[in-house]
């Protein structure tokens, strides 16, 4: 098998020595080309080249969820063709690795490499659904290019938290779960719209859901992890269905404490719930629109401010070795 290994040298949980061991293990089983990313968007360019190549059968992403997202967007540059495009494999190297763990892979990169090699020997694979986010027609964001996401997107509060974390990382802070918690508290204290949300969710043939402060779009479950603890924002979300949405219309201090506790104690059977929580399951097409520009994130990557985003749930979009 001819494969391309895309390596993010800034991956937070792998050293250069560990990466060399993983590369050697993979190269013993396939004809492997190794490329180290050098700039933001490089993994996407490499995925696109692999999709257009007639020889590459597999792309392995060694890095965190951001690296995986870029590779996926490169592979699907011309749309999903799971039977004719190279397959995707993931070796987790980031701080959280939601996509890899949601697929059932070990969070340790060495163990995950072993699981990948076993899957290749046995021909084990699955075809997963993805989310697609694009600018909404007729709005100031309609020219924003469409982009795929593997496990989640968000408009509003959670994207603001991610933006704060990225600012701290640019200042040299390490990406830790404690850093996320601190920035969440600070965002809550500074959040201008926590009592009166500005987001409306619209979908064909249904009444809109309005005045949302927080809107999290899930393509799988769990939504994220705190260490080894899975957090379920939308417990029914699955790679085999459309998209799920958790919307909260109030984030007062008591409401924030209640929903934070529900998230921390969430299970595959029960996530956040209550009078101010909207849970929508298996959506194919919908739009999130805000009265004011809000931060937007996809797969944990802050993408700036948006007033409107149109989402599409695409089933059977990508072939994954797992």
């Amino acid at each position: 098998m001819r494969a391309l290994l895309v390596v993010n040298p800034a991956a937070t949980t792998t050293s250069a020595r560990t990466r060399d061991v993983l590369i050697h293990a993979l190269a013993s089983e396939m004809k492997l080309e190794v490329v180290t990313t050098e700039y933001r968007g490089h993994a996407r360019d490499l995925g696109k080249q692999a999709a257009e190549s007639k020889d590459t059968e597999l792309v392995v992403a060694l890095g965190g969820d951001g690296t995986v997202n870029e590779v996926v967007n490169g592979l699907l540059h011309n749309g999903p063709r799971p039977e004719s495009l190279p397959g995707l494999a993931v070796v987790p190297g980031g701080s959280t690795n939601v996509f890899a763990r949601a697929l059932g892979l070990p969070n340790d990169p060495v163990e995950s490499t072993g699981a990948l090699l076993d899957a290749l020997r046995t021909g084990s694979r699955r075809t997963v659904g993805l989310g697609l986010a694009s600018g909404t027609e007729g709005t100031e964001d309609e020219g924003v290019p469409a982009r795929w996401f593997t496990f989640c997107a968000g408009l509003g509060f959670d994207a603001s938290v991610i933006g704060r974390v990225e600012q701290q990382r640019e200042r040299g802070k390490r990406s830790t779960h404690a850093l996320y918690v601190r920035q969440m508290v600070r965002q809550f204290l500074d959040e201008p719209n926590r009592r009166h949300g500005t987001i409306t969710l619209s979908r064909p043939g249904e009444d809109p859901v309005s005045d949302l402060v927080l809107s999290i779009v899930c393509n799988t479950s769990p939504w994220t992890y705190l260490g080894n603890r899975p957090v379920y924002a939308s417990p029914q979300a699955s790679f085999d269905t459309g998209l799920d949405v958790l919307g909260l219309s109030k984030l007062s201090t008591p409401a924030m404490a209640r929903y934070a506790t529900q998230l921390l104690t969430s299970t595959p059977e029960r996530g956040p719930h209550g009078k101010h929580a909207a849970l929508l399951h298996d959506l194919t097409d919908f739009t999130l629109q805000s009265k004011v520009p809000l931060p937007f994130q996809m797969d944990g990557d802050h993408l700036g401010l948006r007033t409107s985003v149109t989402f599409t749930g695409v089933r059977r979009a990508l072939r994954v070795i797992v």
Side-chain angles (χ1 to χ4, degrees):
M1 174 179 285
R2 185 182 177 91
L4 169 67
L5 175 63
V6 178
V7 179
N8 179 1
T12 55
T13 58
T14 57
S15 64
R17 179 176 295 178
T18 300
R19 290 193 290 271
D20 287 343
V21 171
L22 302 181
I23 290 169
H24 181 75
L26 292 169
S28 68
E29 298 285 338
M30 61 189 76
K31 186 174 182 181
L32 189 68
E33 177 186 2
V34 181
V35 181
T36 299
T37 58
E38 299 176 355
Y39 53 86
R40 190 183 182 103
H42 193 183
R44 182 192 62 236
D45 294 341
L46 293 169
K48 181 182 176 183
Q49 292 171 17
E52 295 172 348
S53 167
K54 296 180 180 179
D55 300 323
T56 304
E57 300 172 73
L58 176 68
V59 179
V60 183
L62 172 50
D65 289 310
T67 304
V68 174
N69 180 278
E70 285 195 12
V71 169
V72 167
N73 274 277
L75 285 171
L76 302 187
H77 178 76
N78 290 319
R81 292 175 284 120
E83 299 309 317
S84 57
L85 287 173
L88 173 71
V90 180
V91 176
S95 59
T96 310
N97 309 304
V98 178
F99 181 65
R101 293 164 84 175
L103 288 169
L105 292 169
N107 197 37
D108 178 80
V110 176
E111 291 183 25
S112 186
T113 300
L116 167 59
L117 293 174
D118 287 343
L120 288 170
R121 294 184 190 112
T122 61
S124 177
R125 63 197 65 197
R126 64 181 293 192
T127 303
V128 300
L130 298 174
L132 182 66
S134 56
T136 305
E137 200 171 321
T139 72
E140 61 187 50
D141 292 322
E142 69 176 328
V144 176
R147 179 165 169 169
W148 297 91
F149 60 97
T150 63
F151 66 91
C152 83
L155 180 68
F157 182 84
D158 77 307
S160 299
V161 174
I162 287 172
R164 285 175 173 269
V165 169
E166 289 190 2
Q167 289 177 351
Q168 293 299 311
R169 292 186 66 182
E170 288 171 1
R171 295 171 186 165
K173 300 283 188 180
R174 289 187 63 238
S175 178
T176 64
H177 299 298
L179 177 63
Y180 275 89
V181 172
R182 287 198 302 271
Q183 299 311 314
M184 182 180 70
V185 172
R186 289 172 181 170
Q187 180 60 36
F188 171 72
L189 296 174
D190 294 342
E191 177 60 54
N193 305 306
R194 67 186 187 187
R195 292 183 181 274
H196 303 287
T198 65
I199 303 168
T200 297
L201 185 152
S202 304
R203 48 192 169 137
E206 301 287 346
D207 292 336
V209 181
S210 58
D211 301 326
L212 298 175
V213 181
L214 176 150
S215 53
I216 297 174
V217 182
C218 293
N219 185 49
T220 188
S221 190
W223 163 53
T224 190
Y225 292 81
L226 286 175
N228 291 321
R229 178 192 291 273
V231 179
Y232 300 89
S234 296
Q236 287 185 287
S238 167
F239 288 128
D240 299 319
T241 63
L243 301 173
D244 283 26
V245 180
L246 167 65
L248 300 180
S249 58
K250 191 175 183 179
L251 278 184
S252 62
T253 301
M256 181 67 176
R258 182 169 61 254
Y259 292 126
T261 300
Q262 290 177 354
L263 279 170
L264 289 173
T265 59
S266 59
T267 68
E269 290 74 38
R270 191 166 177 81
H273 54 278
K275 182 170 66 171
H276 301 290
L279 288 168
L280 304 173
H281 174 57
D282 196 11
L283 304 185
T284 303
D285 298 285
F286 62 96
T287 297
L288 294 176
Q289 192 149 9
S290 173
K291 298 172 186 175
V292 298
L294 293 176
F296 178 58
Q297 66 88 11
M298 295 174 66
D299 286 348
D301 188 11
H302 188 272
L303 298 178
L305 300 178
R306 301 280 179 87
T307 56
S308 186
V309 186
T310 294
F311 292 89
T312 306
V314 182
R315 302 192 188 204
R316 297 186 58 80
L318 183 68
R319 185 165 46 95
V320 182
I321 308 302
V322 63

